[in-house]
């Protein structure tokens, strides 16, 4: 257990860490995916250097460098929205945009300019122009927009493949270098993806969805269990493997 007051250590920079996007890949490197700064409002993500007093005690942290910037013009009109996706892919950390169909590939170990966001090129991607057509106070229209055209909801990494969930409709596949592999979303008809491991994908989905798959593919997916309630909304864990064209060579 660590007791570390990050806000106090960042105070000379007038920065605050918010949200759930963070990573601690190495003992002396800490990544924050959501930062607000009074001195530099367009800061999005930063890398911090962790100063260890002893192997089990942290003395403090210090700002190392800014990793990415955000669109403050958009936030001034529609309000800020916290990024919740920060996924490690090799040596990089992919940070999904909270407003658009884009993501940034952060490298906390390379010095240089902040990483720009990379647009996802599938039909009808969400861009600033889409927001121009709705009123800032029309929350229902904005909610529909980010769910249909899509902000980044999830990023899941395999050994040789990355799935980026764009809106609620499905996932766009990328290779680990950030190259988009398909120009359309792969629709997930069961439930949301939960995790991945060596080419396997884990879902948690209601019993009724598994029943639908049984009827569709004419296979038996259920196994008798004393814990089975027979309730259509009873959650089940489902493991699936990627199609061969998406698997690692």
């Amino acid at each position: 257990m660590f007791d570390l007051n990050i806000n106090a250590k960042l105070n000379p920079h007038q920065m605050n860490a918010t949200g759930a996007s963070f990573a601690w890949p190495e003992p002396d490197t800490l990544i924050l995916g959501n930062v607000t700064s009074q001195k530099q409002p367009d800061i999005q993500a930063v890398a911090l250097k962790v100063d260890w007093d002893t192997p089990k005690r942290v003395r403090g942290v210090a700002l190392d460098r800014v990793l990415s910037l955000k669109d403050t013009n958009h936030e001034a009109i529609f309000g800020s929205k916290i990024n919740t996706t920060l996924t490690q892919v090799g040596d990089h950390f992919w940070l999904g945009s909270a407003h658009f169909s884009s993501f940034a590939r952060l490298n906390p170990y390379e010095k240089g300019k902040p990483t720009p966001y990379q647009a996802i090129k599938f039909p009808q991607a969400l861009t600033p122009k889409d927001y121009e057509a709705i009123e800032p106070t029309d929350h229902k229209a904005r909610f529909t927009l980010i769910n249909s055209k899509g902000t980044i909801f999830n990023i899941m990494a395999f050994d040789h493949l990355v799935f980026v969930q764009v809106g609620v409709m499905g996932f766009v596949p990328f290779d680990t270098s950030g190259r988009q592999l398909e120009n359309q979303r792969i629709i997930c008809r069961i439930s949301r993806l939960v995790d991945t491991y060596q080419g396997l994908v884990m879902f948690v989905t209601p019993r009724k969805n598994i029943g639908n798959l049984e009827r569709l593919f004419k296979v038996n997916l259920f196994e008798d269990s004393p814990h089975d309630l027979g309730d259509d909304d009873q959650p089940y864990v489902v493991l699936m493997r990627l199609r061969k064209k998406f698997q690692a060579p």
Side-chain angles (χ1 to χ4, degrees):
M1 299 293 292
F2 297 96
D3 184 7
L4 176 63
N5 189 339
I6 292 179
N7 182 51
K9 299 301 179 182
L10 292 177
N11 195 47
H13 307 283
Q14 293 185 313
M15 298 167 61
N16 294 312
T18 60
S21 294
F22 70 93
W24 203 333
E26 294 184 352
D28 63 346
T29 302
L30 181 62
I31 303 170
L32 303 179
N34 282 294
V35 171
T36 58
S37 170
Q38 297 179 22
K39 288 187 175 181
Q40 192 175 345
D42 58 347
I43 287 180
Q44 180 73 74
V46 298
L48 307 176
K49 284 296 182 184
V50 182
D51 181 19
W52 291 86
D53 187 17
T54 69
K56 294 186 178 181
R57 184 180 180 87
V58 174
R59 180 184 292 112
V61 295
L63 178 65
D64 184 22
R65 72 183 189 92
V66 176
L67 297 176
S68 69
L69 304 175
K70 59 188 174 184
D71 186 342
T72 54
N73 292 328
H74 178 274
E75 287 193 357
I77 299 173
F78 292 94
S80 61
K81 185 174 183 295
I82 294 174
N83 286 354
T84 57
T85 54
L86 183 67
T87 302
Q88 185 168 4
V89 181
D91 293 333
H92 288 72
F93 291 81
W94 291 24
L95 178 67
S97 170
H99 297 283
F100 308 113
S101 304
S102 59
F103 63 92
R105 297 176 65 247
L106 312 177
N107 189 336
Y109 313 111
E110 286 185 358
K111 303 297 182 181
K113 295 181 179 180
T115 303
Y117 275 85
Q118 171 181 334
I120 295 179
K121 302 175 182 177
F122 68 90
Q124 298 182 333
L126 181 57
T127 65
K129 289 185 178 179
D130 293 297
Y131 286 97
E132 294 174 2
I134 64 175
E135 294 293 331
T137 55
D138 191 342
H139 300 294
K140 183 178 180 180
R142 183 175 183 272
F143 180 81
T144 301
L145 190 65
I146 65 176
N147 280 280
S148 59
K149 287 196 172 183
T151 56
I152 308 304
F153 278 63
N154 194 6
I155 299 176
M156 304 193 72
F158 298 85
D159 289 339
H160 299 273
L161 185 72
V162 183
F163 274 175
V164 180
Q165 185 178 5
V166 185
V168 297
M169 294 300 294
F171 293 78
V172 179
F174 290 80
D175 65 19
T176 54
S177 67
R179 181 173 63 92
Q180 186 169 330
L181 302 178
E182 294 283 341
N183 288 324
Q184 60 184 10
R185 283 177 282 195
I186 300 172
I187 306 302
C188 177
R189 300 188 185 279
I190 297 182
S191 184
R192 68 184 183 89
L193 276 70
V194 178
D195 207 349
T196 63
Y197 181 74
Q198 294 186 349
L200 285 174
V201 185
M202 184 176 78
F203 297 84
V204 174
T205 191
R207 176 193 177 105
K208 58 187 175 185
N209 288 343
I210 302 179
N212 292 336
L213 285 181
E214 284 188 321
R215 289 185 288 273
L216 178 64
F217 295 109
K218 297 181 174 58
V219 295
N220 183 19
L221 300 176
F222 281 110
E223 292 184 4
D224 293 334
S225 167
H227 305 291
D228 188 356
L229 304 176
D231 186 342
D232 277 349
D233 292 323
Q234 180 181 355
Y236 273 80
V237 172
V238 181
L239 296 179
M240 292 187 174
R241 192 174 297 278
L242 293 172
R243 291 179 178 176
K244 286 188 177 180
K245 70 174 183 176
F246 294 119
Q247 291 181 17

